[in-house]
């Protein structure tokens, strides 16, 4: 089947293949090691280090720009990730599994970061700008859905096996083997359905290979407004980076500790049902809005839609309503706003990457974005402990203001993202 002009056949699973490994390596591994008897101290130190490849991925992004094709890169990386998860599953029952599985996760993390670079570059090369604006919402939505699948369905599956076998080691071994098999299926699907031709009219293979490693890096830092751009990218998610780390603890902690006192199953149901639906609808509507009227009109309203739902968590922290439906309402609004608003941010990063070296420049932009997520996230637990949940959520809301202010000074074509023809 020819799918070059049918992005719906390949964009969803290509982006699902980016989010799922990230969720398993960064989040699910924490729960897995906890249930396998690893101390909190070791979990905190070593699983945090697994985040590093996504921060430093711009260092090798020019190699992916210069060597081979993006399609060959992401297919190879997805295959490595599949094998890595299978190996983790087979290694868990062995003595010394902690060091061995961490080493394998490290390989998977570098492969996953490389897969992100290649997948992003592939998307930028295959689709023209007008179609990019429409599908950016679809991309971000399926990326987030893959994160929810990893943090929700995979964990629920492991919990089911723990109860079934009464053996956490066997349960997590089988779970990781199943994840490896799922990634293998996704890799085969992407091999079949992704377009074979990734060079569009704006970028030619000859142009890409005429550049050297240093030139690609230097050209990024010569972009107009680059100082403002990098500052904006680093601070825009200052509030969100802390919210994401402390939101689940807030919902799970007892009311005596300032939390909402929910159990793990309740949190999974909230985010796995209504949360997924709201996120999906928000992301799709965000992409449609930009494709119809351009990024200029929608950037600031979308950013507000992304940040203002934090008010809901402030209200929950202060009033602690007994009805779970209030929590549903807050989560639905927050997930919809996130899906709707984050579309504008990712579309702006596409604008930043415009030029001859789209893949490397997009990786640089997302690398700075990852740094802006990692550093505040590392401090969020200390800040929450010092402030308490009520004041913490107020601080998180205030932390979104610098990014909103800086966004008003960014310049880009008035109709950037607006489609010129039907997708």
């Amino acid at each position: 089947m020819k799918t070059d002009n049918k992005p719906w056949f390949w964009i969803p699973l290509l982006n699902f293949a980016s989010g799922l490994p990230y969720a398993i390596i960064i989040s699910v591994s924490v729960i897995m090691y906890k249930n396998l008897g690893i101390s909190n101290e070791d979990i905190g130190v070593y699983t945090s280090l697994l985040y590093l490849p996504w921060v430093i991925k711009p260092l090798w992004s020019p190699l992916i720009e210069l060597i081979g094709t993006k399609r060959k890169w992401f297919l190879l990386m997805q295959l490595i990730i599949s094998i890595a998860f299978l190996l983790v599953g087979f290694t868990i029952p062995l003595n010394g599994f902690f060091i061995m599985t961490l080493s394998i996760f490290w390989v998977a993390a570098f492969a996953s970061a490389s897969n992100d670079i290649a997948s992003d570059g592939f998307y930028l090369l295959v689709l023209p700008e007008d179609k990019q604006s429409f599908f950016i919402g679809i991309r971000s939505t399926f990326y987030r859905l893959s994160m929810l699948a990893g943090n929700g369905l995979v964990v629920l599956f492991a919990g089911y096996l723990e109860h079934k076998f009464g053996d956490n080691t066997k349960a997590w071994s089988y779970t990781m083997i199943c994840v490896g098999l799922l990634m293998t299926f996704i890799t085969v699907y992407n091999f079949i359905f992704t377009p074979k031709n990734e060079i569009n009219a704006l970028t030619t293979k000859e142009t890409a290979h005429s550049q050297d490693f240093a030139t690609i890096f230097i050209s990024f830092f010569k972009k107009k407004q680059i100082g403002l751009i990098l500052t904006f990218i680093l601070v825009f998610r200052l509030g969100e980076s802390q919210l994401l780390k402390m939101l689940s603890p807030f919902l799970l902690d007892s009311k005596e500790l300032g939390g909402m006192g929910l159990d793990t199953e309740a949190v999974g149901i909230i985010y796995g049902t209504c949360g997924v639906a709201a996120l999906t609808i928000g992301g799709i509507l965000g992409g449609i809005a930009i494709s119809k009227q351009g990024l200029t009109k929608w950037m600031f309203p979308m950013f507000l839609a992304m940040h203002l739902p934090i008010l809901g968590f402030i209200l929950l922290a202060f009033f602690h309503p007994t009805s779970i439906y209030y929590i549903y309402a807050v989560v639905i609004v927050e997930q919809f706003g996130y899906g709707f608003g984050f579309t504008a941010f990712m579309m702006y990063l596409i604008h930043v990457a415009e030029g001859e070296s789209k893949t490397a420049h997009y990786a640089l932009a997302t690398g700075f974005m990852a740094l802006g997520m990692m550093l505040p996230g590392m401090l969020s637990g200390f800040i929450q402990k010092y402030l308490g949940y009520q004041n913490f959520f107020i601080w998180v809301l205030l932390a979104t203001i610098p990014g909103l202010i800086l966004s008003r000074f960014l310049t880009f074509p008035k109709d950037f993202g607006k489609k010129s023809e039907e997708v």
Side-chain angles (χ1 to χ4, degrees):
M1 178 183 296
K2 186 177 178 59
T3 60
D4 296 56
N5 296 318
K6 298 178 179 179
W8 282 104
F9 278 94
W10 57 271
I11 285 179
L13 274 190
L14 185 60
N15 286 276
F16 197 90
S18 291
L20 183 62
Y22 179 88
I24 300 299
I25 295 166
I26 298 299
S27 301
V28 178
S29 66
V30 174
I31 303 171
M32 182 187 81
Y33 286 134
K34 182 68 176 177
N35 289 349
L36 294 177
I38 304 300
S39 70
N40 288 346
E41 293 82 1
D42 286 341
I43 290 173
V45 171
Y46 294 109
T47 62
S48 294
L49 289 174
L50 292 173
Y51 193 92
L52 189 60
W54 282 274
V55 176
I56 64 173
K57 67 180 181 180
L59 296 179
W60 67 87
S61 61
L63 296 177
I64 297 177
E65 185 80 59
L66 298 171
I67 301 173
T69 66
K70 312 301 178 294
R71 185 174 182 272
K72 289 180 180 178
W73 270 100
F74 69 67
L75 289 174
L76 176 60
M77 293 303 105
Q78 289 172 23
L79 179 61
I80 291 174
I81 294 167
S82 303
I83 295 172
F85 288 155
L86 289 171
L87 289 176
V88 168
F90 289 120
T91 304
I92 286 174
L94 304 179
N95 292 328
F97 76 94
F98 184 48
I99 298 300
M100 289 188 285
T101 54
L102 275 175
S103 300
I104 299 169
F105 274 139
W106 259 96
V107 174
F110 276 98
S112 183
S114 302
N115 173 65
D116 291 350
I117 297 170
S119 297
D120 291 338
F122 184 79
Y123 174 82
L124 296 174
L125 292 174
V126 168
L127 292 181
E129 180 188 312
D130 55 353
K131 291 189 177 183
Q132 290 173 20
S133 64
F134 178 85
F135 281 100
I136 189 67
I138 308 301
R139 292 188 73 217
S140 61
T141 296
F142 273 88
Y143 184 89
R144 288 279 292 181
L145 287 176
S146 67
M147 298 285 287
L148 293 172
N151 293 322
L153 296 180
V154 171
V155 173
L156 286 173
F157 180 67
Y160 166 77
L161 293 182
E162 286 179 355
H163 286 103
K164 179 179 179 179
F165 297 128
D167 183 343
N168 289 359
T169 297
K170 181 182 290 187
W172 280 100
S173 176
Y174 286 2
T175 297
M176 292 307 302
I177 290 172
C178 289
V179 171
L181 293 175
L182 175 59
M183 273 302 302
T184 302
F185 167 79
I186 293 173
T187 304
V188 173
Y189 180 96
N190 288 330
F191 174 78
I192 295 172
F193 286 99
T194 51
K196 307 300 187 294
N197 178 25
E198 64 185 56
I199 305 298
N200 64 18
L202 298 176
T203 305
T204 65
K205 187 177 294 187
E206 291 76 15
T207 300
H209 283 272
S210 68
Q211 303 173 73
D212 59 37
F213 194 96
T215 301
I216 292 173
F217 267 107
I218 293 171
S219 63
F220 177 80
F221 292 99
K222 288 183 177 180
K223 289 180 180 289
K224 183 180 178 181
Q225 286 193 310
I226 188 61
L228 176 62
I229 289 170
L230 294 181
T231 304
F232 167 72
I233 292 174
L234 285 170
V235 305
F236 175 72
R237 303 180 76 183
L238 179 61
E240 177 203 351
S241 61
Q242 299 172 76
L243 178 69
L244 291 178
K245 287 293 184 181
M246 291 295 108
L247 192 51
S248 291
F250 168 66
L251 295 176
L252 292 168
D253 269 344
S254 67
K255 294 188 177 182
E256 289 75 17
L257 296 175
M260 295 306 298
L262 302 181
D263 58 29
T264 304
E265 185 178 2
V267 174
I269 292 173
I270 291 172
Y271 277 96
T273 56
C274 298
V276 168
L279 176 75
T280 304
I281 294 171
I284 292 173
L285 291 180
I288 292 174
I290 293 176
S291 69
K292 286 186 176 296
Q293 296 179 305
L295 184 60
T296 300
K297 181 178 179 63
W298 281 104
M299 175 181 271
F300 195 71
M302 283 183 166
F303 287 170
L304 288 177
M306 183 176 173
H307 295 320
L308 287 180
I310 296 170
L311 287 169
F313 294 108
I314 295 175
L315 294 175
L316 289 179
F318 272 91
F319 296 104
H320 290 89
T322 56
S323 174
I324 197 172
Y325 294 109
Y326 287 103
I327 304 174
Y328 269 98
V330 170
V331 170
I332 288 171
V333 172
E334 184 266 335
Q335 289 289 285
F336 175 86
Y338 185 94
F340 188 67
F342 195 62
T343 302
F345 182 65
M346 296 307 293
M347 194 68 209
Y348 179 71
L349 293 189
I350 288 179
H351 163 70
V352 173
E354 283 292 295
E356 294 179 345
S357 305
K358 290 183 178 182
T359 301
H361 287 181
Y362 192 82
L364 281 163
T366 56
F368 277 101
M369 178 184 71
L371 183 62
M373 288 290 288
M374 183 181 74
L375 297 179
M378 292 171 64
L379 299 174
S380 60
F382 299 100
I383 296 173
Q384 185 279 317
K385 184 177 181 179
Y386 178 76
L387 295 177
Y389 281 117
Q390 295 175 349
N391 292 327
F392 173 75
F393 288 125
I394 293 175
W395 154 248
V396 166
L397 181 62
L398 293 175
T400 66
I401 294 176
L404 289 173
I405 294 174
L406 289 176
S407 71
R408 306 303 289 167
F409 296 96
L410 300 172
T411 61
F412 46 86
K414 182 178 180 181
D415 292 330
F416 183 76
K418 186 176 181 179
K419 67 175 183 178
S420 58
E421 59 184 2
E422 292 299 319
V423 178

